[in-house]
Amino acid sequence: MLQAVSTSLKMTQRYKPLLAGLHLSYPHYLVMVVLWKQEGARRLLNRGQSSN
């Protein structure tokens, strides 16, 4: 468990400066990634349906 906490802290510290310019925290970034992936999958499905 301690290893996971340490890894999570390191990831947060690494991404913090990069995300600060976007006014996002690391948890917010993770949510955005999920939403972007869902939107991309939705676009692919819609593209496949429109070609039928």
Side-chain angles (χ1 to χ4, degrees), residues 7-48:
T7 302
S8 177
L9 181 60
K10 286 179 184 178
M11 289 300 294
T12 302
Q13 289 171 342
R14 177 165 285 204
Y15 275 90
K16 189 173 184 174
L18 300 171
L19 297 174
L22 300 172
H23 305 288
L24 290 174
S25 66
Y26 187 68
H28 288 125
Y29 166 74
L30 294 177
V31 170
M32 293 300 293
V33 168
V34 170
L35 293 173
W36 287 328
K37 285 185 177 187
Q38 287 178 351
E39 180 62 26
R42 203 173 300 129
R43 285 183 184 172
L44 286 173
L45 286 173
N46 289 338
R47 188 178 296 164

